[in-house]
């Protein structure tokens, strides 16, 4: 994987019960970009993310990471390159202690123990959660869980990060910290969210989804000032932009 | 549901106790698991009518709970919580086994009552030992220990996940219970039908969650084997602990200590 663009071409997917969740989605995300995927509940954001790392297989269309197509035989490489942070940290933190949870990925890569240890310490330090390392994950607060979930992914040293609703269930302070933290990462980032303020702060580009298709794809600032578009997709302007469209970033 | 919530809370408390830092907590988990095993074997292998020779075995849980800083009241409450089981198990012994085995003055005590007492005592001792083990050794350390001691990988892994997700599942049960209580206005909801619905719902939720967890695991290179990361060190302290206590248990098993002691004391007096 020489360069790490992520490209979706004409993706379509329906769930076994017949729900059409994606219907012709195409985009290309280049290396180092931060992209927000916004849309109302049920717009298909999570389903789209599940295709980018091969958890779901499209009925039609394809996904490429760099010059590697996402197919069964490339899955393990793709998943090393793209780290996914799930919506519910309880799904992601399955080991009995924070340390072991973060070590889980590096251990599976077959790294020597010293290297595993170094990576765990580094990842936990990055998310400012080193002091939690011996705690059981199910006893952490929502914000701490989220930070540790991100650390488990960072320890794999991915090129790109995919985050599904990272700010859901966080109190305002934890949310602020998370935004600060994500802002420090230089990875390619794809963030599904309906927290438009978060998208505003972190992503220069926004893709708007509704009903399984892309309604708009462009600069975040432009999209969030287009009231007609936002309204038709069941979204509202970010709070920071509701009165004065020009000074939204000045909080 | 309140009592269920309470139980779950207590279970969590036991888990939290195991993260303390005392000389007992610092022992290698293998030493504690092995010692507990020897203890269990010794206690269980007594004859049906043993009561007196079992008493010295109380020493072990008492000493370990003391050194391991486990609150006595808490252990006692846990013991009471499981007691009904033992009480029911042996309840027919006094009725079935009525020949008189012991006379205290004019009072005859039947063999059935003695074996019932023995069952209760053994149940209490083994439960205490298990509680003390779990309270002084984190569950994952126990899993690591049994894996090192030769249990199959799959077994240790299963146990680990079972334990880990008990908390998540328990939370889900509590949440559903609350949701039901909120809408049933103090009556018993819609009775059994709602319970079966809830159970089905819980199963589906659990299944969906299991699927997401599996995804998260494959995402991080899971290939079917959980590598438990634990560098265990057996020190002389651990070996001494295991051998010392095992010797004590075997001695308790072979010699009727209260009887020997009693004879010794009467020997001194006369
Ligand atoms: N496991 C599933 N089975 C059937 N339908 C599903 C499943 N997951 C999601 N859907 C449906 O697919 C659509 C898109 O869902 P999703 O991608 O989760 O949306 P979002 O993440 O944007 O809220 C919704 O209509 C949803 O009801
Ligand atoms: Mg979603």
């Amino acid at each position: 994987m020489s360069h790490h663009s992520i490209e979706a071409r004409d993706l379509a997917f329906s769930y076994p019960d017949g729900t059409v969740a994606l219907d012709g989605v195409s985009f290309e995300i280049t290396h180092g970009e931060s992209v927000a995927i916004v849309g109302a509940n049920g717009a298909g954001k999570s389903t789209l993310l599940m295709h980018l790392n091969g958890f779901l297989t499209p009925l039609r269309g394809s996904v490429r990471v760099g010059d590697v197509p996402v197919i069964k035989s490339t899955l393990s490489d793709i998943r090393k390159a793209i780290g996914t942070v799930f919506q519910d940290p309880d799904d992601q933190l399955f080991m009995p202690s924070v340390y072991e949870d973060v070590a889980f990925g590096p251990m599976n890569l077959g790294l020597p123990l010293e290297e595993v240890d170094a990576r765990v310490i580094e990842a936990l330090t990055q998310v400012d959660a080193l002091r939690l390392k011996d705690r059981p994950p199910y006893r952490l607060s929502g914000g701490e869980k989220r930070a540790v979930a991100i650390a488990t992914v960072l320890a794999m040293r991915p090129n790109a990060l995919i985050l599904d609703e990272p700010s859901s269930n966080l109190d305002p302070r934890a949310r602020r910290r998370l935004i600060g933290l994500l802002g420090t990462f230089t990875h390619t980032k794809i963030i599904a969210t309906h927290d438009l303020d978060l998208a505003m702060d972190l992503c220069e580009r926004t893709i708007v989804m509704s009903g399984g298709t892309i309604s708009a794809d462009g600069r975040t600032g432009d999209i969030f000032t287009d009231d007609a578009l936002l309204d038709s997709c069941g979204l509202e302007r970010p709070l920071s932009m509701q009165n004065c469209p020009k000074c939204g970033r000045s909080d | 549901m309140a009592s269920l919530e309470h139980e779950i809370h207590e279970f969590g408390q036991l888990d939290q106790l195991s993260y303390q830092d005392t000389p007992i907590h610092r022992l290698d988990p293998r030493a504690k698991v092995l010692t507990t095993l020897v203890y269990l074997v010794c206690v269980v292998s007594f004859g049906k009518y043993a009561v007196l020779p079992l008493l010295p075995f109380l020493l072990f849980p008492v000493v370990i709970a003391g050194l391991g800083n486990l609150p006595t009241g808490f252990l006692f409450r846990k013991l009471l919580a499981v007691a009904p089981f033992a009480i029911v198990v042996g309840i027919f012994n006094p009725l079935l086994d009525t020949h008189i085995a012991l006379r205290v003055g004019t009072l005859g005590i039947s063999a059935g009552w003695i074996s019932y007492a023995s069952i209760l005592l053994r149940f209490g001792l083994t439960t205490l030992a298990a509680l003390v083990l779990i309270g002084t050794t984190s569950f994952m350390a126990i899993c690591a220990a049994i894996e090192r001691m030769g249990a199959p990988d799959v077994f240790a892994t299963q146990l680990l996940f079972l334990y880990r997700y008990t908390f998540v599942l328990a939370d889900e049960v509590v949440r559903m219970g609350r949701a039901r209580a909120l809408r049933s206005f103090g009556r018993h909801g819609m009775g059994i039908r709602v319970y079966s619905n809830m159970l089905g719902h819980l199963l589906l939720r659990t299944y969906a969650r299991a699927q997401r967890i599996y995804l998260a695991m494959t995402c991080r290179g899971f290939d079917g084997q959980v590598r438990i990361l634990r560098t265990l060190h057996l020190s002389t302290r651990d070996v001494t602990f295991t051998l010392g206590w095992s010797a004590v248990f075997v001695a308790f098993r072979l010699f009727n200590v209260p009887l020997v002691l009693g004879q010794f004391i009467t020997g001194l007096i006369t």
Side-chain angles (χ1 to χ4, degrees):
Chain A
M1 267 164 256
S2 45
H3 64 287
H4 308 288
S5 66
I6 297 174
E7 187 190 356
R9 207 176 289 160
D10 192 31
L11 284 184
F13 183 81
S14 328
Y15 281 99
D17 64 358
T19 314
V20 177
L22 293 180
D23 190 9
V25 171
S26 305
F27 56 80
E28 181 173 0
I29 292 169
T30 56
H31 182 61
E33 247 186 319
S34 277
V35 180
I37 300 190
V38 302
N41 282 327
K45 305 181 295 289
S46 300
T47 310
L48 173 61
L49 297 190
M50 294 289 210
H51 280 81
L52 300 185
N53 43 28
F55 289 142
L56 294 175
T57 315
L59 290 180
R60 190 180 78 221
S62 63
V63 179
R64 297 175 80 85
V65 174
D67 31 44
V68 182
V70 178
I71 49 175
K72 204 157 193 161
S73 61
T74 60
L75 277 187
S76 67
D77 286 334
I78 297 285
R79 287 177 188 167
K80 256 175 247 169
I82 299 187
T84 308
V85 180
F86 289 80
Q87 181 169 352
D88 183 352
D90 273 325
D91 294 340
Q92 191 141 16
L93 304 175
F94 43 78
M95 295 296 276
S97 80
V98 166
Y99 184 95
E100 280 166 294
D101 220 312
V102 180
F104 181 87
M107 291 284 279
N108 284 332
L109 294 179
L111 300 171
L113 282 183
E114 306 84 73
E115 170 73 10
V116 171
D117 185 64
R119 283 201 184 193
V120 173
I121 303 294
E122 184 194 283
L124 283 174
T125 310
Q126 256 179 301
V127 300
D128 193 20
L130 191 57
R131 79 212 129 78
L132 304 175
K133 77 180 166 58
D134 295 318
R135 299 266 298 276
Y138 45 85
R139 292 202 185 292
L140 303 179
S141 74
E144 289 169 338
K145 277 187 194 172
R146 186 81 52 171
V148 173
I150 292 173
T152 64
V153 170
L154 291 179
M156 300 289 281
R157 303 247 168 99
N159 300 311
L161 289 177
I162 291 181
L163 301 107
D164 196 352
E165 311 266 4
S167 62
S168 60
N169 298 324
L170 293 188
D171 64 44
R173 196 144 125 242
R175 177 177 161 278
R176 263 286 128 217
R177 283 171 54 96
L178 176 84
I179 292 176
L181 173 68
L182 292 178
T184 63
F185 295 159
T186 53
H187 306 75
T188 307
K189 288 190 284 280
I190 303 178
I191 306 177
T193 185
H194 35 213
D195 180 347
L196 299 194
D197 288 284
L198 176 140
M200 196 67 214
D201 281 357
L202 290 174
C203 306
E204 59 271 19
R205 175 175 162 197
T206 294
I207 294 175
V208 184
M209 291 192 70
S210 78
T213 58
I214 293 184
S215 322
D217 179 351
R219 285 200 31 221
T220 306
D222 298 342
I223 287 187
F224 289 172
T225 46
D226 186 342
D227 290 318
L229 170 71
L230 291 179
D231 193 48
S232 72
C233 299
L235 295 170
E236 278 183 8
R237 269 191 191 210
L239 285 176
S240 57
M241 294 177 69
Q242 280 190 354
N243 293 320
C244 167
K246 283 285 168 239
C247 56
R249 275 196 163 270
S250 66
D251 53 21
Chain B
M1 272 300 159
S3 75
L4 181 64
E5 266 190 74
H6 180 72
E7 276 309 309
I8 288 165
H9 174 75
E10 294 249 293
F11 179 58
Q13 205 179 337
L14 194 60
D15 180 66
Q16 230 155 12
L17 284 174
S18 72
Y19 289 96
Q20 298 182 92
D21 189 31
T22 73
I24 301 297
H25 285 80
R26 281 194 292 273
L27 285 169
D28 188 290
R30 282 171 295 181
K32 286 179 276 188
V33 170
L34 204 64
T35 309
T36 308
L37 279 179
V38 175
Y39 180 87
L40 296 181
V41 168
C42 285
V43 168
V44 170
S45 68
F46 270 99
K48 193 174 162 196
Y49 299 112
V51 174
L52 215 52
L54 280 171
L55 292 177
F57 281 92
L58 204 54
L59 186 70
F60 176 66
V62 167
V63 169
I64 303 298
L67 293 177
N69 194 28
L70 303 179
T72 339
F74 176 73
L75 290 180
F76 194 64
R77 264 184 290 130
K78 289 282 92 184
L79 193 60
L80 282 187
V82 285
F85 177 70
I87 291 174
V88 169
V89 163
I91 197 79
F92 291 113
N93 283 20
L95 303 176
L96 298 177
D97 196 352
T98 52
H99 80 266
I100 303 299
L102 190 71
R103 282 195 178 281
V104 183
T106 54
L107 194 69
I109 296 176
S110 77
W113 279 109
I114 294 178
S115 65
Y116 190 29
S118 179
I119 286 178
L120 290 182
L121 196 56
R122 266 185 267 191
F123 189 84
L125 288 174
T126 49
T127 310
L128 266 183
L131 284 173
V132 165
L133 175 67
I134 299 176
T136 57
T137 318
S138 71
F139 198 80
M140 70 173 141
I142 295 179
C143 290
I146 60 174
E147 194 201 14
R148 279 311 164 78
M149 283 161 38
D153 260 6
V154 188
F155 182 67
T157 309
Q158 291 276 339
L159 212 55
L160 200 72
F161 279 95
L162 179 72
Y163 188 72
R164 168 65 182 83
Y165 281 96
T166 306
F167 291 94
V168 176
L169 188 67
D171 271 352
E172 225 137 271
V173 172
V174 168
R175 273 203 298 270
M176 279 176 57
R178 277 193 201 130
R180 175 182 152 280
L182 274 177
R183 282 180 290 164
S184 56
F185 310 106
R187 289 177 299 129
H188 289 281
M190 306 284 288
I192 196 80
R193 237 198 35 213
V194 171
Y195 266 112
S196 63
N197 277 344
M198 279 172 62
L199 210 63
H201 197 64
L202 188 67
L203 208 69
L204 286 180
R205 279 208 215 186
T206 315
Y207 179 72
R209 184 181 286 280
Q211 241 175 354
R212 291 196 303 268
I213 293 163
Y214 179 70
L215 281 185
M217 291 172 74
T218 53
C219 199
R220 290 195 272 153
F222 181 61
D223 55 5
Q225 190 203 351
V226 174
R227 295 160 180 85
I228 296 177
L229 178 110
R230 255 308 115 131
T231 36
L232 299 177
H233 294 293
L234 265 191
S235 67
T236 43
R237 237 166 49 91
D238 301 310
V239 177
T240 318
F241 177 88
T242 310
L243 291 181
W245 277 110
S246 300
V248 170
F249 301 151
V250 171
F252 285 171
R253 175 69 188 88
L254 294 180
F255 307 107
N256 187 339
V257 176
L259 195 69
V260 172
L261 219 61
Q263 281 166 351
F264 180 70
I265 289 168
T266 38
L268 277 187
I269 293 168
T270 53

